[in-house]
Amino acid sequence: NNYSRLSRRDKYALYSGQPGIAEKMGLLNGTTLLPFLFLLVYQHPQITPSWLLKFELFGSDGQQYGLKEDGSFAVSEKSRRGFVNAQQVIGLNTKSKAIFADIQALTQQARDYLRSIGNDDWRFLLLGKHRGFSVQRRITKLDRIDEGMHVTCPLTIELVKLFKCDERDIVKRIGLRPFRINVAIMRLFQTGDEFATSEDLGHVGSGDDDLKSYVPLALKQYFSNSRTRLFHNAFIFEAMKDSPYL
């Protein structure tokens, strides 16, 4: 489309008064890329919102930076890891490589335009417009899913039936941070290994304390007690393996 070629006055004259025109034109907004980001976090729960917001596809010298040329790994910064460990390299799999490629394809037109006008935002992975017909630029804050657009979608309707709650409450709870926590808990159920789960989240010096803000205390106690019971059962089995009463 010719959106990036028009002046602000021409944009309003041509497109104003047409509901949903931005979506029909395929213009990026604050939530367009969210589904892809959810898929990335599902593949790599160590990815955080700040890591994504700081992701630079290209360095200040214009050379490719954030993604290795063959797409085998991605690198960005995670501030909470501290200055020394802030840089975080993530090895990508086939699915996450494809997701990064999709994000690049969706943002390419905006990226080319920003670069042509000398706007440094072109270097960053996440691009979109902030409101209305404003010029697309670097996204510095990830919006939550819009209530008005998603309260009637099929997924929301099915969740309302399942949990018998207000649809707006469901939509409000959907975000990258709570989703990342849910992925961590799911991995914990699958492996039963708190240290492996902590590593999956990209924590430095994995340990019990790292999961306190992610996993409810009752769930942690359940896994701890399960390991204790397994050890006790193994101990009893070893002691009584030759007994007819085992």
Side-chain angles (χ1 to χ4, degrees):
N1 59 63
N2 64 349
Y3 176 76
S4 62
R5 305 288 184 253
L6 299 177
S7 67
R8 177 172 296 189
R9 180 178 178 180
D10 290 337
K11 291 171 191 173
Y12 280 102
L14 183 60
Y15 300 122
S16 62
Q18 301 186 49
I21 187 63
E23 287 73 23
K24 293 175 182 177
M25 291 175 63
L27 300 181
L28 298 174
N29 58 34
T31 60
T32 304
L33 299 177
L34 274 180
F36 299 90
L37 305 187
F38 279 108
L39 290 173
L40 276 179
V41 171
Y42 182 77
Q43 295 297 322
H44 306 287
Q46 61 265 56
I47 291 178
T48 63
S50 65
W51 189 91
L52 290 166
L53 291 171
K54 293 179 179 179
F55 195 98
E56 298 179 28
L57 275 176
F58 300 90
S60 56
D61 58 358
Q63 299 298 308
Q64 188 166 335
Y65 172 71
L67 280 176
K68 189 176 180 181
E69 289 186 6
D70 63 0
S72 59
F73 68 79
V75 58
S76 187
E77 293 185 1
K78 185 177 176 182
S79 302
R80 291 183 62 184
R81 286 161 58 100
F83 179 76
V84 175
N85 299 303
Q87 189 178 75
Q88 186 176 34
V89 179
I90 296 175
L92 303 180
N93 56 37
T94 302
K95 291 183 179 179
S96 53
K97 287 179 185 178
I99 295 167
F100 267 106
D102 287 340
I103 293 175
Q104 286 182 269
L106 285 168
T107 57
Q108 191 60 51
Q109 184 181 23
R111 194 177 313 283
D112 292 341
Y113 174 66
L114 290 171
R115 188 173 190 178
S116 71
I117 63 173
N119 188 321
D120 194 57
D121 286 356
W122 75 273
R123 299 190 299 107
F124 291 85
L125 175 68
L126 303 185
L127 301 175
K129 64 185 182 66
H130 287 242
R131 68 178 189 277
F133 289 98
S134 60
V135 174
Q136 296 178 8
R137 60 179 187 266
R138 174 190 176 189
I139 293 176
T140 56
K141 180 182 179 182
L142 292 173
D143 295 333
R144 283 187 171 273
I145 289 179
D146 180 78
E147 292 181 32
M149 290 176 58
H150 294 89
V151 291
T152 58
C153 76
L155 176 60
T156 303
I157 292 172
E158 290 302 314
L159 290 173
V160 169
K161 292 179 182 177
L162 180 63
F163 295 106
K164 296 180 173 56
C165 59
D166 185 85
E167 58 269 19
R168 294 186 181 275
D169 288 337
I170 290 177
V171 175
K172 286 179 180 178
R173 294 175 184 270
I174 299 176
L176 281 180
R177 286 187 176 87
F179 179 74
R180 183 168 173 260
I181 292 173
N182 289 334
V183 172
I185 293 176
M186 183 188 70
R187 297 287 173 88
L188 185 57
F189 269 114
Q190 291 173 338
T191 64
D193 190 332
E194 293 182 18
F195 290 97
T197 302
S198 183
E199 290 179 351
D200 281 343
L201 290 168
H203 292 164
V204 177
S206 302
D208 183 70
D209 290 341
D210 294 322
L211 292 179
K212 283 183 177 178
S213 59
Y214 294 87
V215 182
L217 178 60
L219 190 57
K220 284 175 59 64
Q221 290 174 337
Y222 166 78
F223 282 104
S224 179
N225 292 337
S226 295
R227 287 197 301 270
T228 302
R229 286 194 298 271
L230 285 172
F231 176 78
H232 285 170
N233 290 339
F235 192 86
I236 293 171
F237 176 83
E238 183 64 27
M240 299 183 65
K241 62 183 179 181
D242 297 322
S243 171
Y245 300 104
L246 182 63

